[in-house]
Amino acid sequence: MQGMQVFTFLGGIGLFLLGMRLMSDGLRAAAGGALRDILAASTRSRLRGLLSGVLITAAVQSSSAVIFATVGFVNAGLLTLTQAIGVIYGASLGTTLTSWIVAVVGFNVDLQALALPAIGLGVGLRVVAGSGRRQALGDAIAGFGLFFLGLDILRGTFADVGDPGMLAALAGHGVLSLVLFAGIGMVLTTLTQSSSAALAITLTAAAGGLVPEQAAAATVIGAAVGTTSTAVFATLGATANAQRTASAQVIFNAVAGLAALVALVPLLELAHHIVAWLGLEAHKAVVLAVFHTLMMLLGLALMWPATPRLVAWLGRRFRRDDHTRPRYLDDNVLTTPALALDAARLEAERTGAMARAMVTAAISGGGAGQRRWLEAEHQKLQQLALTINEFANRIERSHGDPAIGSSLAHLLRVTQYQQNMAERAVALARLDADGETRIDDPELATAVDRLLADAVRGIEATGAEIDAWDRQAVKTTLKGFDREYQPVKERLLRAGAAGQLPVRRMVAVLDRLSAVRRALDQAAKSARYLRKFQHAERELADPGEPGEG
């Protein structure tokens, strides 16, 4: 390539990648909560998961987006690892559609006549729509046009390269050459972070006569294996479920790639026969598109019966102490608002359960060992709450939607109330440390214990499933506690004044009851705002759904 050809080539790659990004992000945003709903409804079995992965990846043109969404569902407990692996297989198979688009459309259509109107229509729709799903659809249409414009530049660049002698010489060393070109495919995908870009380069280079067919097929194999680098890099330090899901993709693509490399010659021959049977032009790009599909089908045939053992093996890997680390928060779902909000809510539900357990344990009493445990739990909860808040900030920065920001304000209040509950639990444990809250009068002690038992029941009631949470019942519990609290408080004050209870103990018991009362109030507020957050989250996913009354 001459200097100008190099810059033209890089420009074509840039347009192609920009088009893919706009098209993928636009389609996902335009779909709203549909991606989440389709995955949830269509993955009840591994076969359904496979079909879902194929269809959704073909629709949004991004296997990474589908895999990251799947990670979010596994984290949320909505998908088992077995179902998720079915989606991964399908996503890998669905991404072969890009090869077909490049091969069939890219060499049989005037791409500029297709690209420029699409760009104009997409930008026009974006300007007119202003915001929302129509704007996202405009981005997708414009991205579609840029995709084909970049492809046209790549096609023209490779057609004008001239002497392909150097690459032909590299391809003349048998198995070593195939391994070399597979490595080139992996490097291309890793550098561009897009197997679609690597495939477009490979197919257009082969069609332009720059790369021999077998060498191009090996490059396709390398691109398919290299695409796993995106998931691997994205899940470093992520949740255990995210790493299991990424590992499943790596294993599937590696098996498919190795099998295709071993059977490269017969697969290429079969691809030629299929092209002839379909009545398509025996163009190198078309043959390679068929080869790509056959490779993924071969991987599927090999991995499908081994999936139960793969699931069992992955289930024993990447184990972590889920109590001290976020279980649901994963940066990979940030690009899909519905999944990111789901993850934040689930983590807040988890920290809420921790806070309630701390308060109820502190009310029941214990020794110095329990106090140390509560202090350690308090530190863990504070760290988790900080992580949730930081995740919420990243959601808002990623999307800049005022409605999302408003909903996340509810979440921040939830985590603050939970931290307050944990602080009350530690305070309760310290009050009990030296037996300062002991009451010798059996009748008064029974009244205090009854009040504390009512508080425990009220706090546990706030932990009901969000949809089953009865706000009125909790309000009634709070009012009932207050009605009982005042008479008990009066009795304690009278006992202290009469000398029946040492003043120091009286103050400690009153402080204890006051802390319990505040913890119960904060538990109710936490549950109420968590419910508000969930309703706002559902409204964002489906604007037609009624909000909380």
Side-chain angles (χ1 to χ4, degrees), residues 186 189-191 193 225-235 249-250:
M186 293 178 66
T189 303
T190 303
L191 290 176
Q193 286 295 286
V225 175
T227 193
T228 61
S229 65
T230 303
V232 170
F233 292 150
T235 55
Q249 188 202 16
V250 171

Side-chain angles (χ1 to χ4, degrees), residues 431-456:
L431 285 170
D432 279 339
D434 300 318
E436 290 296 330
T437 57
R438 189 181 77 252
I439 301 174
D440 296 325
D441 182 345
E443 187 177 346
L444 184 56
T446 300
V448 170
D449 289 343
R450 187 183 304 114
L451 188 60
L452 294 176
D454 288 343
V456 168

Side-chain angles (χ1 to χ4, degrees), residues 19 283 312 397 415 433 456:
H283 201 285
R397 288 198 303 269
T415 57
V456 168

Side-chain angles (χ1 to χ4, degrees), residues 139-153:
D139 288 344
I141 294 172
F144 185 76
L146 289 173
F147 171 92
F148 282 115
L149 192 58
L151 183 60
D152 186 54
I153 293 172

Side-chain angles (χ1 to χ4, degrees), residues 27-98:
L27 287 170
R28 275 185 289 156
L35 174 62
R36 178 186 63 181
D37 295 339
I38 292 170
L39 276 174
S42 306
T43 52
R44 293 181 188 136
S45 68
R46 197 168 15 130
L47 181 58
R48 288 188 180 185
L50 172 69
L51 296 175
S52 300
V54 171
L55 295 175
I56 297 173
T57 303
V60 302
Q61 280 298 290
S62 174
S63 60
S64 296
V66 176
I67 288 170
F68 294 154
T70 304
V71 167
F73 274 86
V74 175
N75 279 339
L78 299 175
L79 288 181
T80 65
L81 186 58
T82 301
Q83 293 166 331
I85 285 177
V87 177
I88 290 166
Y89 294 169
S92 297
L93 185 57
T95 198
T96 63
L97 179 65
T98 302

Side-chain angles (χ1 to χ4, degrees), residues 192-209:
T192 61
Q193 286 295 286
S194 170
S195 62
S196 297
L199 289 168
I201 294 170
T202 303
L203 268 62
T204 51

